């Protein structure tokens, strides 16, 4: 499966601006000692609804992924579990768990930065977000600010290796 064929190429300057906001969230995760993944959710008018970052280490919660944190915050902010006019921006391709949360929240669009060749569920390892057998499919735009998003992760793990 070629990830280049699976992902929309409709990248805009707005995508990059929102991805930079997600990178700011990723920095918060890194500063807290967690894997630097960040996410933001915007509404149809382009307003920030919620943000999140990895909190697994701080909260001792395996579901503390940036996407899940942002989805929980967006649902609380909108008082609805249906985020049908939202776009999720995340610095790393969503995993299977996060793809499930995205589908459950009915988010119509996901924009991500770095590909996750080990656990990605938006076109690299799996493609759950566009699986026609499911009741909801998501538009996926991948590789936005890919080098910056990948670098944040690479630097974090290099730092971990150096201290162990």
């Amino acid at each position: 499966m070629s990830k280049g064929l699976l992902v929309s190429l409709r990248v805009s300057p707005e995508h990059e601006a929102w991805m930079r906001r997600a990178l700011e969230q990723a920095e918060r995760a890194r500063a807290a000692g967690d894997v630097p993944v960040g996410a933001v959710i915007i509404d149809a008018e382009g307003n920030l609804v919620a943000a999140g970052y990895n909190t697994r280490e701080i909260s001792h919660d395996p579901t503390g992924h940036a996407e899940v944190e942002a989805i929980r915050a967006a649902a609380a902010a909108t008082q609805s579990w249906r985020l049908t006019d939202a776009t999720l921006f995340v610095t790393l391709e969503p995993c299977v768990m996060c793809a499930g949360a995205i589908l459950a929240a009915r988010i119509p669009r996901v924009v991500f930065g770095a590909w996750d060749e080990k656990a990605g569920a938006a076109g690299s390892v799996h493609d759950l977000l566009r699986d026609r057998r499911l009741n909801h499919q998501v538009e996926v735009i991948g590789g936005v600010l890919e080098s910056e998003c990948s670098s944040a992760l690479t630097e974090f793990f290099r730092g971990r290796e150096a201290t162990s």
Side-chain angles (χ1 to χ4, degrees):
M1 204 180 302
S2 169
K3 64 187 177 191
L5 296 174
L6 292 172
V7 176
S8 171
L9 298 175
R10 297 175 26 199
V11 176
S12 73
E14 288 146 8
H15 290 133
E16 292 181 355
W18 285 114
M19 190 60 69
R20 291 194 193 290
R21 296 286 295 270
L23 280 163
E24 292 170 6
Q25 293 296 310
E27 174 55 26
R28 293 180 71 184
R30 188 207 57 75
D34 216 319
V35 177
V37 178
V40 296
I41 295 177
I42 65 168
D43 65 18
E45 289 78 41
N47 301 306
L48 180 66
V49 175
Y53 56 90
N54 275 7
T55 61
R56 292 182 307 168
E57 298 298 330
I58 309 166
S59 64
H60 310 289
D61 179 359
T63 68
H65 289 206
E67 300 94 314
V68 172
E69 296 294 330
I71 289 168
R72 286 177 179 153
T78 63
Q79 293 294 290
S80 177
W81 63 267
R82 290 181 186 92
L83 302 175
T84 57
D85 70 344
T87 300
L88 169 70
F89 291 83
V90 61
T91 58
L92 180 64
E93 179 183 2
C95 68
V96 171
M97 177 186 69
C98 293
I102 291 162
L103 291 166
R106 306 297 193 268
I107 295 173
R109 187 173 311 96
V110 170
V111 180
F112 69 86
W115 292 92
D116 186 344
E117 300 293 339
K118 294 180 180 177
S124 61
V125 178
H126 305 285
D127 195 11
L128 291 179
L129 295 180
R130 287 171 292 197
D131 190 326
R132 295 281 176 213
R133 296 170 292 184
L134 301 176
N135 66 336
H136 177 70
Q137 289 81 44
V138 178
E139 178 186 5
V140 175
I141 301 170
V144 176
L145 299 182
E146 182 175 5
S147 63
E148 289 100 315
C149 294
S150 293
S151 291
L153 291 160
T154 301
E155 290 171 19
F156 175 79
F157 287 112
R158 274 195 195 129
R160 264 182 144 172
E161 290 170 4
T163 60
S164 56

